[in-house]
């Protein structure tokens, strides 16, 4: 196999599949993709781009698809996957998650644990992720360094919590803001690993901290990520904690943390039609985490309603409440959940495969800029997938279907992010 | 690693986990299991069984769990996994499945396709399965030979269809019975691979064929497998085809195909409380196939209601409508579906992990006799699983949780069926 050095121009030959739009797959048999400086320059039949005297990565029997985008994942929860799945959100946080996160006070231990997470993330074919770390600044810095070294693109959040958290994790308001400011200054110039403001969720932040984070967001033009309306009990709790606010999302909105800068909101299960329209208007992303919502019995996210309203959307593994970093599992689960939802809401069609694939690539990728497709101008994030049957009977789309429904990271032969191979 | 020869007595050392009863896991750290002639002779702390001068398989850092039992799988549909998942049952059968099954008219091609299926089945840790082949006798014989060669335990059915099938698959009634008789004579003496009567489902069999199969069942004391109440459209179709019968299950029951001999019925979604009680009384197994039911939008199986009524139950991958042969996926999906069901039926608790694990081991295994547990007298079907974290923090049960929720066949280091290693 040809070895590619940084910045070099090269051609990728293979069967290209991606979703320019949500409605259908674009498939190009024996295609060629010219990559330069980490971006896709041009795409067409291989014959149209060949013979340029530049290296060719010859994957002609394989599928080339965009790298996956995981728009909501808790790096510190990787080791607790599968544990406590008989609980619901609040009990699970208290009994398992907070105990696990306390271990990240020690940055050396964090380095070992985060390395496991990143190894699995890369193996799973994720090339971009929006990541929650923990409240610990040193460990969060370690996470960023490891992601950078791995070559992944990521938004990483040092978590803010100054209320309703165990003593070991709870911060002083001012310290939380100071440490956040320090963290974002260190990482805001990096081309691939960038900071994102991360108030954990409304119950774990005071009004003062929300106000301070809102100021930081505007001062540094920083994106924001948090949780929204995941669980009925949580929604009621937020209403009790912030009685002066009109709704859960208004808690964030009031403090300029809801669309003033690019914003990700995980879950979004219990929202009114008005809330949904407001999300669309504010261009706030709903991050759909179907596995997590099943595991924690949170509810069924009305994905079709969201899409119809024009809400931007991506998929999140939500590990550790979700149980897999392999995004095809989320693609399939998003479809399955939409089918269950449609049983009781016949007006809401289930998601089609191309739609769920889009959410896990171009839909979520748009939060990172031109990411998640194989179109010219897009970042050269791609996977090489072997899903052919030995009899050569499957069409390209059928190979993709087999990979998404039945495949595993074993089917991924190579991974590239921003034009560079991941190992 | 010690090599074991047929019939030899040996000890397996490791951390044993199994479910004697559904309510909880039995876990034995550094346990020992004496195996002789393919059966478990005794189980206890390793120190209590050591020093017998017989070989020891030393898996002391690993988990030893029962092999998985897949109680409903279509071997001929392995290659169509993931295809047509935007359709529902009847359309999916017509558009994809029947076309795929027609390929099995050629036994040489069948040998290639079935070998792929069995390789994946073994890799996935399934040691026993109840398998639908196709209507083709030669290909079904090939499947049995390959299963036998692989060392798996299985009930295999030559499918019967003499109505409402495409011309290429539809049989003459008499020929269907004659070929079935011939098939079961050939295989009924085998200790591991055994025949099971397999009318596809009520719509694809005539009254005459049902009557003939019922006679065969009693004459040869043969088990039966079929589908029951998977989909609303199918239930209505059956009611129209058999207006003289009181219910869907009465179609089978009337012809002595519902509990006169051991019986498996896949799906069982749309049954009345009276039907459910009758299933329990007749000791008919409900095979829960949660992935398939989601993929084909069939519905949510009321597993808790079934268990409460005392219905015997196991889990089925139902590949190709299900999309994975790896039974931990079905275990997790059964729990997830039960959580969704509980959202609208608060009286029906979700399944706990030990319950779903039991269904995929001892519950389904009981159809094969003493199979699916690590108790004395049980067949020595077991898997060696590595799910430890490198920091040694996880308890045995947490290792199992991590494996079931997040693991893959990669975590299985070795597989044994009836005391013999599978390769």
């Amino acid at each position: 196999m040809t070895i590619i050095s940084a910045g070099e121009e090269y051609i990728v030959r293979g069967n290209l599949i991606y979703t320019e739009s949500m409605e259908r797959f674009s498939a190009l048999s024996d295609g060629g993709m010219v990559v330069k400086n980490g971006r896709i320059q041009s795409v067409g039949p291989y014959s149209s781009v060949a013979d340029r005297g530049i290296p060719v990565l010859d994957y002609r029997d394989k599928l080339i698809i965009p790298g996956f985008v995981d728009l909501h994942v808790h790096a510190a929860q990787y080791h607790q996957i599968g544990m406590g799945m008989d609980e619901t959100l609040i009990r699970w946080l208290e009994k398992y998650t907070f105990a696990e996160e306390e271990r990240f006070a020690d940055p050396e231990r964090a380095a070992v644990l985060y390395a496991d997470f990143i190894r699995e993330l890369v193996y799973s074919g994720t090339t971009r992720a929006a990541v929650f770390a923990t409240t610990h600044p040193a460990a969060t810095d370690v996470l960023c360094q490891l992601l950078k070294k791995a070559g992944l693109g990521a938004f990483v959040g040092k978590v803010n919590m100054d209320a309703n958290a165990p003593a070991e994790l709870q911060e002083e308001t001012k310290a939380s803001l100071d440490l956040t400011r320090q963290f974002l200054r260190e990482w805001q110039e990096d081309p691939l690993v960038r900071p994102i403001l991360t108030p954990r969720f409304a119950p774990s932040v005071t009004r003062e901290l929300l106000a301070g984070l809102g100021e930081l967001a505007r001062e540094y033009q920083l994106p924001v990520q948090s949780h929204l309306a995941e669980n009925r009990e949580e929604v009621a709790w937020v209403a009790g904690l912030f009685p002066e606010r009109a709704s859960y999302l208004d808690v964030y909105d009031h403090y300029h943390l809801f669309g003033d800068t690019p914003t990700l909101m995980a879950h979004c299960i219990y929202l009114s039609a008005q809330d949904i329209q407001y999300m669309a208007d504010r261009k706030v992303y709903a991050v759909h985490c179907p596995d997590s919502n099943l595991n924690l019995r949170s509810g069924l996210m009305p994905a079709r309603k969201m899409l119809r309203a024009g809400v931007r959307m991506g998929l999140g593994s939500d590990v550790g409440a979700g149980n897999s970093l392999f995004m095809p599992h989320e693609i399939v689960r998003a479809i399955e959940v939409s089918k269950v939802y449609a049983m009781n809401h016949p007006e809401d069609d289930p998601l089609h495969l191309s739609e769920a694939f889009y959410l896990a690539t171009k839909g979520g990728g748009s939060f990172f800029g031109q990411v998640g497709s194989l179109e010219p101008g897009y970042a050269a994030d791609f996977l090489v997938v072997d899903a052919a049957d030995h009899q050569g009977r499957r069409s390209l789309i059928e190979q993709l279907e087999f990979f998404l429904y039945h495949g595993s990271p074993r089917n991924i032969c190579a991974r590239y992010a921003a034009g560079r191979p991941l190992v």
Side-chain angles (χ1 to χ4, degrees), chain A:
Chain A
M1 181 51 66
T2 313
I3 303 298
I4 299 301
S5 57
E8 191 177 1
E9 189 174 2
Y10 60 91
I11 296 172
V12 183
R13 180 177 189 174
N15 301 306
L16 311 179
I17 307 190
Y18 52 104
T19 41
E20 263 188 85
S21 73
M22 211 178 275
E23 289 69 34
R24 68 191 61 80
F25 288 106
S26 301
L28 182 57
S29 179
D30 199 14
M33 189 167 79
V34 181
V35 174
K36 190 175 181 183
N37 293 324
R39 300 223 154 247
I40 298 169
Q41 302 282 100
S42 61
V43 176
Y46 176 70
S47 58
S48 74
V49 299
D51 302 327
R52 301 191 172 199
I54 57 175
V56 175
L57 304 185
D58 190 347
Y59 297 117
R60 77 180 82 176
D61 299 326
K62 306 289 192 291
L63 304 182
I64 311 291
I65 64 173
F68 294 117
V69 179
D70 187 343
L71 219 48
H72 185 69
V73 59
H74 294 263
Q77 295 174 16
Y78 172 68
H79 289 82
Q80 76 177 86
I81 289 178
M83 290 160 210
M85 297 281 91
D86 291 345
E87 304 292 349
T88 52
L89 175 65
I90 308 295
R91 280 277 298 155
W92 174 80
L93 282 173
E94 289 168 355
K95 199 165 153 190
Y96 292 88
T97 307
F98 289 152
E100 181 74 14
E101 292 191 5
E102 285 168 20
R103 304 166 70 200
F104 291 78
D106 173 359
E108 284 183 32
R109 178 184 260 185
V112 175
L113 298 172
Y114 279 146
D116 291 341
F117 164 73
I118 291 170
R119 194 178 309 112
E120 182 76 15
L121 195 68
V122 170
Y123 181 61
S124 300
T126 293
T127 50
R128 306 267 169 167
V131 185
F132 278 57
T134 63
T135 50
H136 310 97
T140 304
D141 187 67
V142 164
L143 174 60
C144 289
Q145 289 174 24
L146 291 171
L147 285 163
K148 186 178 167 70
K149 193 171 154 200
L152 290 171
F155 282 107
V156 178
K158 182 210 115 36
V159 173
N160 301 102
M161 282 205 280
D162 71 339
N164 296 311
E168 292 77 3
L169 291 176
Q170 190 159 322
E171 305 173 295
E172 297 292 328
T173 308
K174 184 170 178 306
S176 183
L177 286 168
D178 289 346
L179 293 171
T180 302
R181 189 184 291 266
Q182 186 181 323
F183 167 67
L184 61 91
R185 280 186 181 153
E186 272 162 30
W187 284 96
Q188 73 172 342
E189 301 300 329
D190 194 273
L192 277 174
V193 178
R194 313 203 50 194
I196 183 166
L197 293 174
T198 306
R200 185 177 204 117
F201 68 153
S204 62
V205 278
T206 60
R207 290 166 183 77
E208 192 186 348
L209 183 51
L210 285 165
L213 291 171
E215 280 168 29
L216 279 181
R218 282 176 297 167
E219 180 185 345
Y220 291 87
Q221 281 301 303
L222 280 174
V224 175
Q225 64 181 352
S226 194
H227 298 84
L228 177 64
E230 177 174 1
N231 164 300
R232 286 187 198 280
E233 190 186 348
E234 166 218 10
V235 171
W237 193 17
V238 172
L241 290 169
F242 297 89
E244 75 280 14
R245 301 269 61 90
S247 66
Y248 191 159
L249 70 78
D250 189 42
V251 175
Y252 299 123
D253 195 38
H254 180 76
Y255 295 102
H256 305 284
L257 295 166
F258 199 80
D260 283 34
T261 56
T263 303
L264 299 174
M265 285 286 154
H267 305 299
C268 303
I269 299 174
Y270 299 102
L271 296 180
S272 67
Q274 192 184 342
D275 286 343
I276 291 174
Q277 194 52 57
Y278 190 69
M279 283 195 78
D281 296 344
R282 298 292 283 164
K283 299 186 171 55
V284 170
Y285 284 67
V287 188
H288 184 18
C289 306
D291 251 327
S292 164
N293 297 341
L294 291 171
N295 285 329
L296 293 177
R297 305 170 62 180
S298 301
L300 303 177
M301 199 263 213
R304 174 63 68 200
K305 280 193 211 310
M306 294 263 178
L307 291 176
R308 202 185 291 124
V311 175
R312 295 171 186 219
M313 200 184 298
L315 298 184
S317 69
D318 198 19
V319 157
N323 54 294
S324 172
L325 288 171
F326 183 56
M327 291 305 288
H329 289 165
E330 292 308 315
I331 291 173
V332 170
R333 213 72 64 238
I335 295 171
E336 290 180 344
V337 165
S338 74
K339 286 174 175 175
V340 173
Y341 192 84
M343 289 174 197
N344 291 318
H345 299 83
E347 73 282 9
D348 289 324
D349 279 351
L351 299 182
H352 297 285
L353 188 63
S354 66
E355 293 176 314
F357 184 84
Y358 178 95
L359 295 179
T361 55
K362 192 171 176 178
S366 64
F367 194 77
F368 296 79
Q370 282 192 299
V371 166
S373 189
L374 303 184
E375 299 165 58
Y378 273 69
D381 293 8
F382 60 93
L383 309 177
V384 181
V385 171
D386 184 356
D389 57 327
H390 49 64
Q391 309 188 43
R393 261 181 81 251
R394 286 184 199 134
S395 70
L396 295 184
I397 297 296
E398 286 174 344
Q399 290 175 40
L400 182 70
E401 289 178 326
F402 193 80
F403 169 63
L404 295 175
Y405 270 94
H406 181 261
S408 79
R410 277 193 298 152
N411 294 94
I412 307 176
C413 316
R415 300 141 180 92
Y416 291 77
R420 301 181 62 184
L422 306 179
V423 284

